[in-house]
């Protein structure tokens, strides 16, 4: 399994229940591909470099995990169709393999 890092943000006005549902959905997608989540780090509210969908701030979360490349593609698909996630980025971390 390879090491990956996922950074995503939701609107700062999103309620705690919706944020927990997004986190649970990510955990489920990784677990279904026999992956493991190493660390979840909530960065909190940060200012965006430019306005996205009328938002100037975002509530960021960083997730470190190990998974197979096929399950990472599935996680990317799940994040794209999740309405609460405004933007996300998955990066392969070769220094943590």
């Amino acid at each position: 399994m390879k090491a990956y890092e996922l950074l995503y943000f939701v609107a700062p006005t999103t309620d705690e229940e919706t944020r927990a549902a997004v986190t649970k959905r990510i955990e489920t997608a990784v677990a279904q591909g026999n992956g493991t989540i190493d660390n979840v780090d909530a960065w909190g509210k940060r200012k965006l470099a430019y306005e996205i969908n009328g938002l100037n701030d975002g509530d960021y979360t960083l997730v470190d995990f190990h998974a197979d490349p096929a399950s990472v593609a599935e996680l990317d698909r799940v994040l794209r169709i999740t309405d609460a996630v405004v933007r996300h980025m998955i990066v392969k971390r070769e220094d943590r393999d």
Side-chain angles (χ1 to χ4, degrees), residues 10 13-25 84:
V10 298
T13 57
T14 305
D15 61 357
E16 194 61 39
E17 182 178 304
T18 305
R19 288 184 188 137
V22 169
T23 303
K24 181 68 175 168
R25 196 161 188 189

Side-chain angles (χ1 to χ4, degrees), residues 20-52:
V22 169
T23 303
K24 181 68 175 168
R25 196 161 188 189
I26 291 169
E27 290 173 357
T28 303
V30 171
Q32 284 178 345
N34 296 326
T36 59
I37 293 183
D38 302 327
N39 187 29
V40 177
D41 188 14
W43 286 4
K45 186 177 173 182
R46 302 280 174 116
K47 184 137 181 77
L48 301 178
Y50 54 90
E51 185 177 309
I52 299 175

